[in-house]
């Protein structure tokens, strides 16, 4: 039936409503019809121009007039409609009349109500309802009741319902469906049924009285008639004319409404006031509840008023729509105009020769950038650049290849081909710069000076690969910057810790989106020279992922024989990196792959001893921190004892990073103290100057200043206060029998304050104006003194700034008892001493055994078993008749059980501990030893000689036993490290036995 409509735009409306009433010839003279027809600028068209149509007219007032049906179908399309019965192609006369239907099938309308005279397509999912509708048409009774569905309780009618709510509508049956229906609906003629799509035509208003059957829902209805009204009533006429006037205004802006009116004017019949009200409400965009109110209203005047409100609201919406459209149109037209003018400007400038196109400008920029280094640029690189510039001119600017070529040329021309910085070959100047930035590190400085000396003799320098290894905080990264400054080279640093992508080193292929060169090409572009110093940080923490092995990719980069022709995947041209000085840093050299480590020159930085840390703290850290905190040197004094205590008890690690943090913490607290002191000075002095004599009544006090930072305040009644810095500690003694409290500011150097005569304990001290002036002057002078008072940080008050000590003395025993021997260990913090203790659990025939505790690793457990075997052999050699180890169950423990321990260097210490227990002899005082032992008693070399020596000095050990193979390592130590130590180098344990259990073990030396 929808194909019979003259305008398909009606189906695009909000409700898919089409009017279906055709006027009779006599009604065209109605003034209302003429007005409505004129507002749309519509004219009557011939029936032939409208195509196939089907119309009907029915009196909704229910006067029982016969229905008139007019059918016009072109013969050319009549065959296409033969699929449906003739009754489905047009509205046929039916009998009985519509008003005779008092029981109808109830169809729910989910979105909007159906008004009389309008089409509405609905979807019926219930098969029983569809069968009932088809059955009604077959019985020549194609009528049903269309009723609007109520919203679910608790839902907002203004919110659009989704498919889930529509699905729930189809599940409603019987009484549930009846309760959800509005009482007033429309008697609808079933025009056609195509699948589950049913087209309804509204006839007249109905009201539900009761339910006739549940499935499908059938209800009994009453036919409603409009209340009588006077057609000549001026109010009704005025209201209707206002509706028409408003519709005229809306039609000027809304093409959708214009289509509705065009269709309606072609099909309308009996255009009267009720129909006008229904028409306005039906085509408006009001919500379904407002439309339902119009449908339920039987008073024509009230219905017209409701419709007038709806069309007025549509008018406002149309104005908003028009303003939005106008704003968007202005914006779009403005942008188009600006674009057009810019294009015209470019064309004019190009014609006048004032500007070239983008490609020419880019080519000129690249050639200009390359020109300074053209003679130094390698020929193969120049050839590639020329080829790419030629290709750039042939490409369109909008193509993707154009951007790839432009970026490629940008990188090629930005690199410093053959551009080298002037190096400094002055050894003395370089040595001075290195000493300015770092204290100690003699090995590193010596290697750099050697590099400069070779360059001085040759007149040019080559690149080198140096690896600095050591614990954190020893200055590996910062020494790289100092080396660059000493050599007068540009500095570039990048970290490879956790790097797992080879493309970060070798670059991406240019075919990839977002491709970039590797780190080395980026480095050369940033520094602008071809001989920078490149610091590769954390080279021992290289990762390995799905994108390849970066450690293997760095073999080419760090190989002096290969990096002269380093090939980056992005540039795809060889780059000379032979002049680059590479400095790598690592914490653990063993973590670096062997092929990569083989290409490096490793310089170990063991760490700093206490003396070196003292110099670093004084000359570097303290000065830098003081400037960063804004504190002047005359305001603070940190004693050597305080620094020594800070290093020994808080910062024992090999590096100085933790020491720097603690010094910063001290200066931050001093800064806070100075600011608080400054803020409290002015109010305190002002309070003393304005105080009346009776308000400042205090007992006679004499303040004696012992030192600038400490003052003792003595009162006449025996109480006292000790003033330190800006704090005052008072003894709990009342200063007055009346409970008065005396407050004395710490800035007072010498203050004498007297009471009135009746309260004075000293008759000679009478208050006078001159004395008050003198006291005020003294207070002001003391205020100036306090402002310049220096904050003193000593070992005694160090804990006030940095808290309780973290480390305690490693030395547990002044004289080691039997079975206890001090060993030396290497740790990540530099080195430490540890005791090995052995005790006998029980003794009996054949009960020889050894228990181990102290969280020992596998290697250390094996060392303990070896030590037990060697000790039994030595004891049998010294005392053949002794069966101590065979009959004794022993327990060997290494203190600090929470700290994991491992390594072979404690072998000789364990043997000595076992023999000390077996021989019932303590070892020599101030003795420490280290060394790996074999089953035959040979002593093998160990590592960490410097760290272990430093740990022995910290524990005040004077005698140290090292393996003979470590003599070279010890000789390389600085003189201040070896000073005062009695070091013995041994090859066999018998030598250790003589040193540990010699005749002078109890002499106390």
């Amino acid at each position: 039936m929808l194909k019979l409509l003259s305008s398909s735009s009606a189906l695009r409306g909000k409700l898919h409503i089409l009017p279906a009433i055709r006027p009779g010839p006599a009604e065209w003279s109605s003034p209302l019809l003429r007005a409505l027809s004129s507002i749309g600028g519509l004219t009557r068209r011939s029936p032939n121009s409208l195509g196939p149509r089907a119309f009907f007219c029915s009196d909704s007032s229910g006067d029982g007039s016969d229905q008139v049906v007019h059918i016009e179908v072109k013969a050319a399309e009549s065959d296409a409609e033969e699929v449906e019965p003739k009754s489905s192609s047009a509205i046929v006369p039916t009998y009985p009349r519509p008003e005779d239907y008092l029981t109808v099938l109830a169809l729910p309308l989910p979105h909007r109500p159906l008004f009389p005279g309008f089409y509405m397509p609905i979807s019926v999912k219930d098969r029983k309802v569809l069968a009932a509708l088809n059955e009604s048409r077959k019985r020549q009774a194609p009528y049903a009741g269309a009723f609007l569905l109520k919203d679910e309780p608790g839902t907002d009618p203004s919110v659009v319902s989704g498919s889930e709510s529509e699905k729930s509508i189809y599940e409603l049956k019987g009484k549930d469906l009846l309760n959800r229906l509005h009482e007033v609906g429309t008697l609808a003629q079933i025009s056609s049924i195509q699948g589950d799509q049913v087209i309804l035509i509204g006839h007249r208003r109905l009201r539900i009285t009761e339910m006739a059957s549940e499935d499908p829902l059938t209800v009994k209805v009453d036919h409603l008639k409009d209340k009588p009204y006077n057609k000549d009533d001026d109010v009704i006429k005025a209201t209707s004319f206002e509706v028409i006037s408003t519709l005229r205004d809306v039609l000027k802006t809304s093409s959708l409404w214009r289509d509705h009116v065009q269709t309606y004017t072609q099909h309308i019949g009996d255009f009267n006031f009720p129909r006008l009200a229904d028409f306005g409400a039906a085509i408006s965009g009001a919500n379904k509840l407002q439309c339902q109110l119009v449908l339920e209203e039987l008073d024509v005047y009230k219905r017209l008023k409701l419709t007038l409100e709806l069309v007025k609201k549509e008018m406002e919406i149309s104005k908003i729509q028009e303003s939005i459209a106008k704003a968007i149109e202005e914006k779009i037209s403005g942008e188009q105009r600006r674009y057009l003018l810019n294009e015209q400007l470019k064309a004019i400038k190009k014609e006048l020769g004032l500007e070239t196109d983008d490609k020419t400008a880019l080519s000129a920029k690249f050639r200009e950038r390359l020109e300074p280094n053209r003679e130094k640029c390698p020929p193969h690189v120049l050839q590639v650049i020329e080829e790419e510039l030629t290709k750039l001119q042939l490409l369109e600017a909008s193509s993707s290849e154009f951007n790839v070529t432009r970026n490629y040329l940008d990188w090629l021309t930005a690199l410093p081909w053959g551009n080298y910085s002037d190096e400094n070959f002055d050894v003395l100047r370089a040595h001075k710069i290195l000493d300015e930035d770092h204290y100690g590190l003699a090995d590193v400085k010596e290697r750099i000076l050697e590099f400069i000396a070779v360059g001085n003799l040759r007149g040019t320098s080559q690149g080198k690969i140096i690896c600095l290894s050591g614990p954190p905080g020893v200055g590996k990264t910062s020494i790289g910057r100092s080396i660059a400054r000493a050599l007068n080279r540009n500095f570039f640093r990048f970290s490879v810790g956790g790097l797992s992508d080879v493309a970060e080193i070798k670059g991406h292929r240019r075919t990839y989106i977002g491709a970039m060169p590797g780190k080395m090409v980026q480095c050369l572009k940033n520094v602008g020279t071809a001989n920078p110093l490149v610091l590769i940080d954390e080279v021992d923490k290289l990762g390995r992922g799905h994108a390849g092995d970066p450690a293997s990719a760095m073999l080419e980069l760090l190989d002096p024989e290969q990096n002269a022709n380093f090939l980056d995947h992005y540039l795809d041209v060889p780059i000379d990196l032979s002049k680059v000085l590479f400095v790598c840093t690592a914490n653990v050299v063993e973590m670096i792959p062997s092929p990569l480590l083989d290409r490096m020159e490793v310089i170990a930085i063991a760490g700093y001893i206490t003396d070196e840390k003292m110099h670093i703290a004084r000359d570097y850290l303290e000065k830098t921190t003081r400037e960063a905190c804004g504190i002047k040197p005359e305001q603070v004094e940190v004693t050597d004892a305080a620094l020594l205590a800070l290093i020994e008890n808080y910062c024992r690690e090999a590096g100085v990073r933790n020491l720097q943090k603690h010094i910063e913490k001290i200066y931050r607290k001093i800064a806070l103290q100075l600011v608080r002191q400054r803020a409290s000075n002015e109010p305190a002095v002002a309070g003393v100057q304005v105080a009346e004599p009776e308000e400042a009544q205090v007992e006679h006090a004499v303040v004696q200043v012992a030192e600038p930072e400490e003052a003792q305040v003595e009162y006449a009644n025996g109480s006292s206060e000790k003033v330190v810095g800006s704090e005052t500690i008072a003894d709990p003694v009342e200063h007055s029998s009346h409970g008065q409290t005396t407050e004395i500011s710490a800035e007072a150097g010498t203050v004498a304050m007297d009471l009135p005569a009746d309260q004075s304990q000293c008759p000679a001290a009478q208050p006078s104006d001159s004395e008050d002036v003198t006291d005020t002057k003294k207070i002001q002078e003391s205020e100036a003194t306090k402002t310049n008072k220096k904050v003193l940080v000593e070992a005694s008050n160090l804990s006030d700034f940095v808290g309780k000590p973290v480390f305690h003395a490693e030395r547990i025993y002044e004289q080691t008892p039997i079975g206890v021997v001090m060993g030396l260990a290497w740790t990540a913090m530099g080195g430490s001493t540890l005791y090995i203790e052995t005790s006998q659990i029980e003794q009996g025939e054949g009960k020889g055994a050894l228990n181990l505790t102290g969280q020992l690793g596998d290697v250390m457990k094996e060392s303990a078993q070896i030590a037990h075997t060697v000790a039994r052999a030595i004891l049998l050699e010294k005392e053949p008749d002794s069966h101590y180890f065979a009959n004794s169950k022993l327990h060997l423990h290494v203190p600090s059980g929470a700290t994991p321990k491992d390594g072979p260097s404690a072998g000789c210490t364990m043997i000595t501990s076992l023999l000390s227990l077996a021989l019932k002899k303590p070892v020599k005082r101030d003795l420490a030893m280290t060394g790996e032992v074999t089953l035959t008693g040979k002593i093998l070399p160990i590592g960490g000689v410097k760290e272990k020596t430093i740990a022995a000095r910290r524990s005040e050990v004077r005698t140290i036993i090292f393996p003979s193979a470590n003599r070279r390592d010890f000789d390389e130590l600085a003189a201040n490290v070896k000073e005062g130590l009695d070091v013995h180098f041994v090859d066999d344990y018998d030598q250790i036995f003589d040193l540990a259990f010699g005749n002078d073990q109890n002499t106390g030396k």
Side-chain angles (χ1 to χ4, degrees):
M1 187 62 187
L2 293 177
K3 296 179 181 179
L4 303 179
L5 304 178
S6 64
S7 175
S8 63
S9 63
L11 290 177
R12 300 194 308 266
K14 303 179 183 64
L15 306 177
H16 304 284
I17 299 174
L18 284 177
I21 309 301
R22 173 174 180 157
E27 279 74 13
W28 284 106
S29 59
S30 170
L32 289 178
L33 180 58
R34 289 196 304 271
L36 189 59
S37 178
S38 63
I39 62 178
L42 305 173
T43 58
R44 287 295 304 263
R45 290 183 291 180
S46 64
N48 294 334
S49 65
L50 298 176
R53 298 173 301 177
F55 311 118
F56 80 96
C57 64
S58 176
D59 187 4
S60 63
S61 61
D63 55 1
S65 62
D66 294 335
Q67 299 178 3
V68 180
V69 178
H70 177 73
I71 303 176
E72 299 179 5
V73 181
K74 284 187 177 180
E77 297 182 1
S78 60
D79 295 339
E81 300 296 335
E82 288 297 325
V83 179
E84 284 279 1
K86 291 182 179 181
S87 59
S88 64
S89 302
I91 303 172
V92 297
T94 58
Y95 185 84
R97 296 171 299 178
E99 60 266 20
D100 294 335
Y101 289 91
L102 300 179
T103 301
V104 294
L105 190 67
L107 297 179
L109 303 179
H111 302 298
R112 289 172 67 90
L114 174 64
F115 284 89
F118 284 84
Y119 286 95
M120 176 181 286
I122 65 171
S123 178
V124 179
K125 301 295 184 182
D126 195 334
R127 297 301 174 187
K128 292 185 178 180
V129 176
L130 276 176
L133 292 175
N134 284 317
E135 184 67 24
S136 298
R137 296 188 66 208
K138 290 178 182 179
R139 295 201 313 267
Q140 301 298 318
Y143 288 95
F147 301 93
L148 181 64
L149 200 67
K150 297 178 182 178
D151 293 312
E152 294 184 18
T155 59
D156 187 358
S158 62
V159 178
V160 180
S161 60
S163 59
E164 295 184 0
S165 60
E166 293 182 1
K167 184 178 179 181
S168 64
I169 293 173
Y170 303 135
E171 296 176 355
L172 295 174
K173 305 290 183 182
K175 291 184 179 180
D176 294 336
L177 180 58
L178 180 64
N179 294 333
R180 289 284 302 278
L181 297 178
H182 285 274
E183 290 185 358
V184 177
T186 308
L187 179 66
Q189 180 183 350
I190 304 170
S191 176
S192 69
I193 301 177
Q194 297 179 357
D196 59 355
Q197 295 292 324
V198 179
I199 297 181
L200 305 178
I201 304 176
H203 275 259
R204 59 181 65 234
R205 288 169 168 80
L206 300 176
R207 185 188 301 277
I208 298 177
T209 57
E210 59 179 325
M211 182 175 65
S213 62
E214 291 191 5
D215 195 12
L217 179 63
T218 308
V219 295
K220 294 182 179 181
V221 296
D222 288 339
H223 292 258
L224 303 179
K225 298 180 180 180
D226 294 333
K227 294 181 180 180
Y229 65 95
N230 185 6
K231 293 184 178 180
D232 298 328
D233 186 89
D234 294 339
V235 177
I236 294 179
K237 286 184 178 181
T239 306
S240 63
F241 287 143
E242 182 63 24
V243 172
I244 294 173
S245 176
T246 307
L247 288 174
R248 181 190 299 116
D249 295 335
V250 174
L251 288 173
K252 292 179 182 178
T253 58
S254 176
S255 60
L256 181 63
W257 279 49
R258 199 174 297 121
D259 293 340
H260 283 313
V261 174
Q262 179 180 354
T263 306
Y264 196 80
T265 55
Q266 296 166 4
H267 303 79
I268 193 171
D270 190 17
F271 197 109
N272 50 26
F273 296 121
R275 291 291 186 187
L276 178 63
D278 290 346
F279 172 78
I283 68 174
S284 71
N287 63 46
K288 59 183 181 180
L289 296 182
Q290 292 174 330
C291 294
Q292 180 67 23
L293 290 177
V294 177
L295 183 67
E296 294 176 355
E297 186 57 58
L298 301 180
D299 187 287
V300 176
Y301 171 65
K302 292 182 179 179
R303 190 188 302 170
L304 281 171
K305 286 185 64 178
L306 291 174
T307 301
L308 182 59
E309 293 179 5
L310 298 183
V311 294
K312 286 288 186 183
K313 188 178 295 184
E314 286 294 322
M315 184 61 198
E316 297 298 324
I317 295 175
S318 299
K319 290 181 180 179
I320 296 175
Q321 175 187 352
E322 185 178 1
S323 64
I324 294 174
K326 184 178 180 181
I328 295 176
E329 184 178 356
E330 289 178 354
K331 180 180 179 181
I332 294 175
S333 62
E335 292 177 354
Q336 290 176 343
R337 182 171 178 272
R338 188 179 300 107
Y339 174 77
L340 180 61
L341 291 176
N342 285 331
E343 291 298 321
Q344 291 176 350
L345 181 62
K346 288 181 181 178
I348 293 172
K349 287 185 175 180
K350 187 175 181 181
E351 290 295 329
L352 295 176
L354 300 177
E355 185 178 293
T356 58
D357 59 358
D358 294 339
K359 292 190 291 185
T360 306
L362 277 175
S363 299
K365 184 184 76 170
F366 293 144
R367 293 183 185 277
E368 181 181 357
R369 184 190 295 175
L370 182 65
E371 194 60 35
N373 296 329
R374 176 176 289 273
E375 296 181 358
K376 303 176 184 178
C377 187
H380 63 277
V381 177
L382 282 176
Q383 181 181 355
V384 172
I385 293 176
E386 292 296 336
E387 291 175 357
E388 292 296 322
L389 285 173
T390 304
K391 183 169 70 173
L392 186 70
Q393 293 295 327
L394 300 177
L395 293 172
E396 290 294 333
S398 59
S399 66
S400 59
E401 185 68 19
F402 180 84
N403 291 326
V404 173
T405 305
R406 182 187 61 187
N407 293 335
Y408 182 47
L409 282 169
D410 189 20
W411 279 100
L412 277 177
T413 56
L415 292 182
W417 301 105
N419 186 16
Y420 301 102
S421 61
D422 296 331
E423 290 192 87
N424 169 45
F425 294 123
D426 188 349
V427 176
L428 297 180
R429 177 179 174 274
H431 193 278
K432 180 181 179 182
I433 291 176
L434 293 174
D435 286 341
E436 285 178 359
D437 294 342
H438 291 81
Y439 182 86
L441 302 180
D443 297 341
V444 182
K445 295 178 181 178
E446 189 71 17
R447 181 64 187 87
I448 299 304
L449 295 178
E450 292 172 1
F451 177 82
I452 295 175
V454 171
N456 191 355
L457 295 178
R458 292 187 54 190
T460 182
S461 64
Q462 293 294 323
K464 288 293 179 181
I465 295 94
I466 299 174
C467 179
L468 305 177
S469 67
V474 295
K476 300 184 299 296
T477 303
S478 60
I479 192 66
R481 195 180 302 274
S482 298
I483 295 172
R485 192 162 72 93
L487 295 175
N488 195 28
R489 290 195 179 200
N490 291 326
F491 178 77
F492 184 84
R493 172 193 171 274
F494 69 94
S495 176
V496 294
L499 191 69
S500 59
D501 191 357
V502 174
E504 292 291 332
I505 305 296
K506 300 276 290 180
H508 303 82
R509 299 287 181 187
R510 290 198 306 277
T511 53
Y512 298 147
I513 296 176
M516 286 187 65
K519 285 291 185 182
M520 276 312 303
V521 177
Q522 298 177 35
C523 159
L524 295 179
K525 180 181 178 181
N526 289 339
V527 299
T529 57
N531 61 338
L533 186 145
V534 179
L535 180 72
I536 305 178
D537 228 346
E538 312 294 351
V539 75
D540 59 329
K541 299 176 181 62
L542 277 168
R544 187 170 188 171
H546 68 281
D549 184 10
S552 301
M554 291 188 69
L555 294 176
E556 179 186 0
L557 179 65
L558 299 180
D559 191 342
E561 301 298 328
Q562 300 181 36
N563 61 13
N565 295 302
F566 177 74
L567 188 65
D568 185 88
H569 289 161
Y570 183 86
L571 295 183
D572 205 23
V573 292
I575 304 173
D576 185 9
L577 300 179
S578 60
K579 303 293 185 181
V580 178
L581 176 59
F582 292 97
V583 177
C584 305
T585 67
N587 295 125
V588 182
V589 178
E590 288 75 13
M591 298 293 294
I592 304 175
S594 298
L596 188 59
L597 185 63
D598 183 59
R599 288 161 167 79
M600 302 178 182
E601 181 180 348
V602 180
I603 300 177
I605 304 176
Y608 301 105
I609 61 175
T610 302
D611 295 340
E612 292 174 334
K613 286 185 178 182
M614 287 285 292
H615 283 285
I616 294 172
R618 281 292 186 207
D619 300 337
Y620 304 96
L621 303 181
E622 190 178 5
K623 178 182 177 182
T624 304
T625 306
R626 188 168 56 238
E627 293 176 354
C629 294
I631 299 175
K632 298 178 181 178
E634 60 269 12
Q635 292 178 301
V636 179
E637 181 182 353
V638 182
T639 63
D640 292 340
L643 272 182
L644 183 61
L646 185 67
I647 294 170
E648 293 290 344
N649 300 331
Y650 296 86
C651 311
R652 285 188 182 178
E653 54 278 328
V656 293
R657 185 173 292 133
N658 194 36
L659 178 60
Q660 181 180 7
K661 293 178 183 177
H662 280 77
I663 292 177
E664 290 174 353
K665 187 175 182 180
I666 291 174
Y667 274 86
R668 285 197 306 268
K669 289 187 177 296
I670 292 174
L672 178 61
Q673 182 177 335
L674 292 174
V675 172
R676 283 178 174 173
Q677 179 178 323
R678 184 186 305 171
S680 61
N681 284 342
E682 294 181 2
V685 174
V688 173
Q689 290 176 349
V690 301
E692 296 295 335
E694 56 271 18
E695 292 179 348
Q697 292 177 355
V698 296
E699 298 185 30
H700 182 65
V702 179
V703 180
Q704 297 178 350
V705 180
E707 293 180 1
E709 59 275 358
E710 182 174 329
Q712 185 71 22
V713 183
E714 297 181 358
Y715 289 90
N717 61 359
S719 62
S720 65
E721 288 185 2
K722 185 177 182 180
V723 181
V724 180
S726 62
E727 298 178 358
T728 303
I729 303 144
D731 291 340
V733 178
E734 293 190 4
H735 299 178
S736 169
S737 60
H738 299 285
Q740 297 177 346
T741 305
T742 305
E743 296 179 2
I744 296 184
S745 179
E747 67 262 10
T750 301
V751 182
M753 304 180 66
D754 298 331
L755 298 175
D758 56 347
Q759 299 182 9
S760 176
Q761 297 180 6
C762 182
Q766 297 294 332
S768 63
D769 295 339
S770 61
E771 292 178 354
D772 291 341
V773 174
T774 303
D775 294 342
T776 303
K777 289 182 178 180
K778 289 182 178 180
I779 291 174
Q780 291 176 347
E781 292 174 358
S782 63
E783 168 64 22
T785 303
K786 180 179 178 179
T787 303
N788 298 326
K789 183 178 293 185
K790 183 177 292 187
V791 178
L792 186 64
V793 180
E794 296 181 308
S796 58
N797 63 348
L798 182 62
S799 59
D800 297 336
F801 295 93
V802 291
K804 296 180 180 180
V806 179
F807 301 100
H808 300 282
E810 294 179 353
R811 185 160 187 160
I812 305 175
Y813 308 102
E814 286 296 326
Q815 171 62 46
T816 51
I818 295 174
V820 178
V821 181
M822 180 185 290
L824 299 174
W826 179 91
T827 67
M829 301 179 69
S832 66
T833 59
L834 77 164
Y835 288 93
I836 294 181
E837 303 172 344
T838 307
S839 178
Q840 180 179 347
I841 302 175
E842 60 178 318
Q843 188 171 10
E845 186 68 28
K847 289 190 176 183
L850 180 64
N851 292 342
L852 304 175
T853 57
Q855 201 171 348
L856 308 182
D858 294 337
V859 177
M860 204 165 183
K861 289 179 181 178
E862 293 178 356
S863 296
Q865 296 296 332
I866 295 172
H868 190 239
T869 303
V870 174
R872 293 182 66 171
I874 293 176
L875 184 62
L876 287 176
E877 180 183 346
K878 302 294 181 181
E879 297 182 4
D881 297 332
S882 176
H883 300 283
Y884 180 81
F885 289 107
N887 300 327
S888 300
K889 186 176 182 180
L890 305 179
H891 182 186
L892 188 146
H893 174 69
V894 183
S896 299
T899 304
K901 309 170 191 68
D902 204 0
S905 63
C908 63
T909 314
M910 292 179 176
I911 295 175
T912 308
S913 176
L914 292 169
L915 290 176
S916 173
L917 184 64
L919 298 172
K920 299 295 188 294
K921 290 183 180 181
V923 297
K924 182 180 179 180
R925 186 182 179 185
D926 297 336
L927 174 68
M929 63 186 69
T930 179
E932 182 180 357
V933 69
T934 66
L935 279 174
T936 58
K938 294 294 182 181
I939 306 299
L940 302 182
I942 47 86
V945 172
K946 181 178 181 180
E947 290 86 349
K948 293 179 179 180
T949 306
I950 294 172
R953 288 181 61 88
R954 188 167 57 239
S955 297
E956 299 180 355
V957 173
R958 295 291 176 262
T959 305
I960 305 177
I961 299 177
F962 281 130
S964 295
N966 291 112
R967 183 187 295 272
R968 179 178 55 84
D969 300 325
F970 184 81
D971 292 340
E972 292 178 355
L973 298 181
N976 58 345
V977 178
K978 299 184 290 183
E979 183 181 359
L981 294 178
D982 183 14
V983 181
H984 300 271
F985 299 94
V986 295
D987 293 316
D988 193 272
Y989 185 77
D990 291 337
Q991 299 172 272
I992 300 178
F993 186 88
D994 295 336
L995 292 170
F997 301 105
N999 294 327
D1000 58 342
Q1001 70 267 23
N1002 293 323
T1003 59
K1005 295 182 180 178

